[in-house]
């Protein structure tokens, strides 16, 4: 219900003149005191606006609040209309104002404009119907403007956030960022707060304190040095801001045992191998078989490290867990939304081996000796396995690893794990030429049709996953019975191993790697 004369504050738009584009100069001219809109159906319209050359393309609309700086140059056989209108109501609340060009308008808007034109030129026209059509036109136009505004805001706010995230250590003022976004400082502040939930200064402080926390995971520098590194002038100010946000001083944060949250199965496994259960983590069925955990310790919506529901569905649990650091691969969308919770320690996906990731995580939780001991035992196990293989099969030859889905087959390289890192890096097998020439060492994997796996010969063939759908199984069976497949050396020597243990081979971490080694040795020595 409207109360207290709220209706009186609403705007009312009334069309007062509607002409075709080619009649625009003579009928409206450039001295009109009323705003108007130019709608182009077909062709192009050339004009100058505020001294700039502007071209209106088909299906475009230009709104003009002030006609003094507008000059029509050429209509270029264009078709369309010009609608001059009067506005009743408070001018500060006007919805359509300033010079705005909207391109690629919808068919509905163009069709409504044509109906307005038709009704305006009809003999004995119905003024109420004309007003109704014009109102519908404004409604669609307003939706276009709102969507376009949100899209434009999204573009510049993303660019500004990216810039701030890179250069927050420097002296960055709100005015500098507004200039970079090409908006007024006031509009910048409103939009920035709307999109981030923070004022500009609050967000800059957040980035600097989170960076301080990340550095304190590894060392305790002098506060003045730390302050300089993150963008502050002196340590006392940093310490005060740090305590306001984190709740403890930088020194106390450095000394405390960290509550760690892991956003993927590989990093959860690294923590478990170090003897640490994350306050919240991602668990595959394989990891749960090793380390049973309660539901409250698992992030819901994850399966094999693939996040299905988004952070929003877990945000309450993540906040309640009060982590001191969140570990994840770099490049995910989680960083921005979780920045308010804790610092995000990002590890480059596929750029670091599982050993390197294991070592970095050990540094974060101060378990370097445990990591060193674990890797030493693993290397001793690798040496024993190589002695056995030297005796049983001698020179290793080539090996290829396939993961076969219901639609396609995937050939994996070391950076993607699936046992290939063990075969190529630890057990001395080499990659067959057929995948080397496909640049697998750079891309990390190949995707081929199931029928094409017979075109990639190797001395040893390992299949770590099989199709789950009947049509995929049928396609694979056709391949396995084909003459091409049967002619492969690995098939004739019975050196093809169908392991179908996706849950185990998915992991690229210490615990999965140790189990994968065991499974590979079982088939190689059987």
């Amino acid at each position: 219900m409207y109360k207290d004369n709220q209706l009186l504050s609403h705007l009312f738009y009334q069309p007062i003149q509607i002409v075709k584009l080619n009649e625009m100069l003579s009928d409206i001219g450039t001295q009109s005191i009323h705003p108007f809109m130019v709608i182009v159906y077909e062709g192009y319209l050339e004009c100058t606006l505020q001294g700039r050359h502007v071209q209106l393309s088909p299906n475009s609309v230009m709104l003009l609040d002030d006609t003094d700086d507008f000059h029509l140059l050429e209509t270029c056989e264009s078709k369309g209309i010009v609608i001059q209108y009067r506005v009743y109501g408070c001018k500060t609340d006007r919805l359509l104002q300033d010079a705005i060009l909207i391109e690629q308008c919808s068919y509905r808007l163009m069709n409504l404009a044509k109906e307005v034109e038709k009704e305006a030129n009809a003999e004995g026209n119905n003024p109420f119907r004309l007003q109704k059509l014009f109102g519908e036109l404004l409604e669609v136009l307003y939706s276009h403007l709102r969507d376009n505004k949100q899209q434009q805001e999204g573009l510049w706010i993303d660019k500004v956030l990216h810039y701030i995230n890179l250069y927050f250590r420097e002296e960055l003022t709100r005015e500098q960022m507004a200039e970079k976004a090409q908006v007024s400082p006031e509009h910048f502040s409103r939009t920035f707060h709307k999109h981030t939930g923070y004022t500009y200064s609050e967000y800059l402080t957040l980035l600097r304190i989170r960076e301080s926390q990340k550095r304190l995971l590894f060392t305790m520098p002098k506060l003045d040095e730390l302050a300089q590194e993150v963008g502050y002038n002196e340590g006392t100010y940093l310490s005060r801001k740090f305590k306001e946000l984190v709740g403890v001083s930088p020194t106390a944060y450095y000394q405390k045992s960290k509550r760690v949250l892991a956003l993927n199965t590989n990093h959860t496994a690294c923590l478990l191998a170090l003897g640490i259960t994350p306050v919240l983590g991602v668990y595959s069925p394989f990891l749960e078989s090793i380390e049973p955990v309660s539901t409250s310790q698992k992030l819901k919506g994850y399966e094999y490290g693939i996040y299905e529901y988004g952070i929003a569905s877990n945000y309450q649990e993540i906040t309640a867990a009060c982590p001191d650091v969140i570990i994840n691969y770099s490049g995910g969308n989680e960083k921005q939304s979780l920045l308010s919770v804790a610092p995000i320690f990002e590890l480059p996906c596929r750029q670091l081996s599982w050993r390197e990731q294991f070592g970095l995580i050990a540094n974060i939780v101060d378990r370097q000796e445990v990591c060193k001991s674990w890797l030493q035992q693993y290397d001793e196990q690798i040496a024993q396995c190589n002695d056995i293989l030297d005796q049983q099969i001698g020179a290793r030859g080539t090996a290829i690893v396939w993961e076969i889905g219901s639609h396609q087959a995937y050939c994996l390289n070391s950076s993607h794990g699936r046992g290939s890192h063990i075969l190529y890096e630890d057990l001395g097998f080499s990659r067959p030429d057929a995948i080397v020439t496909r640049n697998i060492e750079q891309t990390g994997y190949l995707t081929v049709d199931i029928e094409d796996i017979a075109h990639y010969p190797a001395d040893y063939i390992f299949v770590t996953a099989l199709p789950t759908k009947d049509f995929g199984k049928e396609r694979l069976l056709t391949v396995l019975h084909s003459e091409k497949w049967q002619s492969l050396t690995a098939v004739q020597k019975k050196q093809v191993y169908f392991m179908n243990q996706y849950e185990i081979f998915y992991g690229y971490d210490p615990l999965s790697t140790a189990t994968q080694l065991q499974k590979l040795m079982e088939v190689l020595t059987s």
Side-chain angles (χ1 to χ4, degrees):
M1 297 289 294
Y2 288 102
K3 299 178 181 179
D4 301 328
N5 293 326
Q6 287 182 2
L7 281 171
L8 296 179
S9 67
H10 282 206
L11 297 172
F12 180 74
Y13 290 72
Q14 179 189 36
I16 56 176
Q17 189 175 13
I18 301 171
V19 300
K20 297 181 183 295
L21 281 180
N22 56 11
E23 301 170 357
M24 181 178 179
L25 281 174
S26 58
D27 283 18
I28 291 183
T30 59
Q31 302 300 319
S32 172
I33 62 172
H34 298 293
F36 63 92
M37 63 180 71
V38 180
I39 304 175
V40 181
Y41 309 145
E42 301 175 17
Y44 293 86
L45 185 147
E46 305 281 343
C47 63
T48 59
L49 180 64
Q50 298 172 350
R52 295 182 295 110
H53 180 270
V54 178
Q55 182 184 72
L56 276 70
S57 56
N59 300 323
S60 63
V61 176
M62 176 179 278
L63 300 173
L64 290 160
D65 193 50
D66 185 352
T67 62
D68 289 344
D69 292 327
F70 173 81
H71 298 281
L72 181 65
L73 299 177
E74 188 177 357
T75 58
C76 300
E77 300 183 355
S78 57
K79 294 182 180 180
I81 58 171
V82 180
I83 303 176
Q84 190 176 16
Y85 56 92
R86 183 182 285 114
V87 184
Y88 299 92
C90 179
K91 289 189 176 182
T92 59
D93 293 333
R94 287 172 58 176
L95 304 178
L96 307 177
Q97 55 185 338
D98 300 325
I100 299 174
L101 174 62
I102 311 170
E103 298 181 296
Q104 298 179 340
C105 295
S106 67
Y107 169 80
R108 183 168 180 237
L109 193 150
M110 291 295 114
N111 196 46
L112 280 169
K114 291 174 183 177
E115 288 192 48
V116 167
E117 179 186 7
K118 181 179 178 181
E119 184 64 32
N121 293 324
E123 292 185 10
N125 64 352
N126 184 333
F128 297 104
R129 173 167 168 73
L130 178 62
Q131 184 65 52
K132 175 176 178 292
L133 289 171
F134 185 63
E136 290 179 13
L137 174 69
L138 293 179
E139 181 183 4
V140 176
L141 187 59
Y142 179 67
S143 296
H144 272 281
L145 286 169
R146 183 181 56 195
D147 294 344
N148 187 58
K149 180 182 178 183
Q150 290 174 348
Q151 182 181 14
Q152 292 301 317
E153 284 182 354
L155 288 174
W156 73 251
I157 197 69
D158 287 342
K159 290 180 180 178
V160 166
L161 284 173
H162 179 69
Y163 186 88
I164 297 171
N165 289 340
L166 287 176
Y167 300 106
F168 63 86
R169 300 168 186 83
E170 300 178 6
E171 189 68 34
L172 301 179
T173 66
R174 181 192 70 154
E175 286 69 26
Q176 287 174 327
M177 294 300 97
E179 184 178 352
K180 183 171 285 292
Q182 296 184 327
V183 296
S184 70
E186 294 74 21
H187 181 67
F188 174 87
S189 294
R190 288 193 301 271
T191 306
F192 191 91
H193 187 271
K194 173 184 172 184
H195 281 263
T196 66
Y198 294 95
T199 65
Y200 174 69
S201 61
E202 287 172 343
Y203 186 77
L204 202 57
T205 299
L206 179 66
L207 289 178
R208 289 171 173 173
I209 299 305
R210 292 299 185 228
E211 181 65 19
S212 301
Q213 288 177 274
K214 287 164 69 173
R215 298 194 179 214
L216 290 170
L217 293 172
F218 303 103
T219 185
M220 183 66 225
K222 293 180 179 179
L223 282 181
D224 283 341
E225 293 177 1
L226 181 60
Q228 294 287 338
E229 289 174 0
V230 301
Y232 290 124
N233 292 325
E234 46 91 22
T236 305
Y237 186 78
L238 165 66
S239 186
R240 179 161 61 85
K241 287 294 183 181
F242 192 101
K243 193 167 185 178
E244 286 177 4
L245 183 65
V246 183
V248 297
S249 68
T251 303
Y253 180 81
Y254 171 72
Q255 293 173 343
K256 71 177 293 192
S257 296
K258 306 299 186 293
R259 294 169 58 84
V260 186
L261 188 150
L263 286 179
N264 62 79
T265 56
N266 293 331
H267 298 153
T268 298
C270 286
L271 291 167
L272 296 177
L274 294 168
I276 293 175
T277 301
V279 292
L280 211 55
V282 182
Y283 289 82
S284 66
F286 165 69
L287 286 183
E288 287 193 82
S289 69
I290 297 176
E291 182 85 9
V293 293
S294 64
T295 304
S296 63
Q297 293 174 289
K298 294 188 295 182
L299 280 168
K300 65 178 182 290
Y302 277 92
E303 184 175 358
Y304 303 120
I306 301 172
Y307 196 44
E308 296 175 347
Y309 303 132
I311 285 297
S313 61
N314 282 287
Y315 192 82
Q316 186 175 351
E317 289 78 5
I318 290 172
T319 304
C322 299
D324 295 305
V325 60
I326 298 171
I327 303 176
N328 195 22
Y329 285 117
S330 58
N333 297 323
E334 295 88 356
K335 182 176 180 178
Q336 201 65 41
S337 57
L338 293 179
L339 203 59
S340 61
V341 179
I344 320 276
F345 190 83
E346 297 181 297
L347 300 177
C349 184
R350 293 192 298 276
Q351 295 177 21
L352 298 176
S353 69
W354 68 271
R355 292 171 180 265
E356 292 169 323
Q357 295 180 48
F358 189 32
L360 283 172
I361 292 173
N363 288 339
I364 292 173
V365 295
D366 198 22
R367 293 290 177 95
Q368 295 92 333
E369 289 303 316
V370 178
C371 175
K372 182 179 178 181
S373 176
W374 199 100
L375 290 174
Q376 184 177 348
Q377 291 179 32
Y378 176 78
D379 288 336
E380 290 172 357
Q381 190 177 0
I382 287 293
Q384 294 172 7
C385 291
N386 276 312
D387 287 341
I388 294 171
L389 293 180
D390 286 342
Q391 295 173 24
Q392 293 200 16
I393 66 175
R396 303 296 188 265
T398 58
I400 193 167
V401 179
W402 288 108
E403 189 177 276
I404 304 178
S406 296
H407 297 280
Q408 291 183 303
Y410 306 90
C411 175
L412 291 313
N413 193 38
S414 300
S415 58
H416 281 68
R418 313 306 208 264
S420 63
H421 58 304
I422 301 171
L423 293 168
Y424 299 142
E425 296 170 10
D426 296 332
L427 298 182
F429 290 88
S430 58
R431 300 164 183 82
D433 291 339
I435 65 172
V436 172
T437 56
R438 291 286 304 274
N439 208 29
I440 194 171
E441 293 184 68
Q442 279 69 47
T443 60
Y445 68 98
L446 298 178
T447 303
V448 302
D449 291 334
I450 294 175
E451 291 77 11
D452 289 338
I453 64 173
H455 297 282
Y456 293 85
D459 296 314
Y460 296 85
I461 299 174
F462 299 87
V463 180
T464 61
L466 293 170
T468 57
K469 305 292 184 183
D470 287 342
F471 60 85
K473 295 176 183 178
E474 291 172 4
R475 290 175 66 184
L476 178 59
L477 284 173
T478 301
V479 174
L480 300 183
H481 288 94
S482 69
E483 184 178 344
K484 182 69 175 177
W485 178 265
Q486 292 296 327
S487 68
L488 294 178
T489 301
V491 176
Q492 294 177 356
K493 291 186 176 182
K494 301 186 185 304
Q495 291 173 175
V496 179
Y497 307 107
F498 292 93
M499 308 173 78
N500 197 28
Q501 294 178 303
Y502 182 77
E503 292 180 1
I504 291 173
F505 280 89
Y506 179 85
Y508 187 58
D509 59 74
L511 299 181
S512 299
T513 296
T515 304
Q516 290 168 21
L517 174 63
Q518 177 189 340
K519 298 298 181 183
L520 290 170
M521 288 301 295
E522 285 177 4
V523 297
L524 283 168
T525 60
S526 63

